[in-house]
Amino acid sequence: MAGGRLPASDLTGRLALANDVATPRTLRGALDLDGPRVAATTLTSLHATGRVADDEVQFTINASSTDGAAQVTGSVAPRTQRFDVRGTATELDLAALTGRPALAGRANATWQLAGEGFSPATTKAAAALTLAPGRVGGVTIQSGTVAARAEGDGS
């Protein structure tokens, strides 16, 4: 965002919020955008749902375009400092996402990040990325997995 200006965008859609007398400290919401555009990036659709309660935020986001689709689901619990976020990319064209034509192709992957602790010292987390068959630039991907763990020193 050069100069603090927002790019020309179109975020037309519907937002619905609901709460129920049986669970007064819980708020549910849904956001649907049809053909949202931010700068030069246009999606076919974006659908997000969420639930906010005293001790946890849960969400699901689905986005699709002619350049692929993605889904992210997760939960974050501020009091206990726990998190679990997972995602899927299907037929994603990284050239369109990054603006780098050399990355043209179709990538398919799943990822997850789960753990606890919101500071480097208290974090105990595991992350994994699994690649499914696809192509990025001139590279054909058969499959692959990478995993990592992080554990703070507790200070």
Side-chain angles (χ1 to χ4, degrees):
M1 295 191 306
R5 295 181 52 187
L6 295 175
S9 303
D10 179 0
L11 301 174
T12 304
R14 293 161 303 286
L15 173 64
L17 299 172
N19 129 315
D20 147 352
V21 289
T23 55
R25 297 177 66 101
T26 300
L27 179 66
R28 293 180 314 280
L31 173 67
D32 285 296
L33 300 178
D34 296 321
R37 180 181 55 80
V38 175
T41 302
T42 300
L43 298 175
T44 306
S45 67
L46 184 130
H47 176 74
T49 59
R51 178 182 168 277
V52 179
D54 279 342
D55 57 349
E56 186 176 42
V57 176
Q58 298 174 339
F59 58 90
T60 298
I61 303 168
N62 290 291
S64 64
S65 78
T66 57
D67 299 313
Q71 179 185 53
V72 177
T73 61
S75 64
V76 179
R79 281 192 196 148
T80 59
Q81 295 192 12
R82 293 185 183 276
F83 51 91
D84 186 350
V85 183
R86 299 165 189 267
T88 301
T90 306
E91 297 294 308
L92 193 62
D93 182 357
L94 295 177
L97 183 65
T98 64
R100 297 179 57 198
L103 298 178
R106 295 295 178 177
N108 298 286
T110 59
W111 60 270
Q112 62 187 43
L113 173 64
E116 60 185 52
F118 290 172
S119 74
T122 61
T123 296
K124 293 180 184 174
L129 170 67
T130 301
L131 299 174
R135 184 179 56 79
V136 176
V139 177
T140 298
I141 300 167
Q142 295 300 321
S143 66
T145 300
V146 63
R149 294 186 60 76
E151 190 164 329
D153 61 13
S155 61

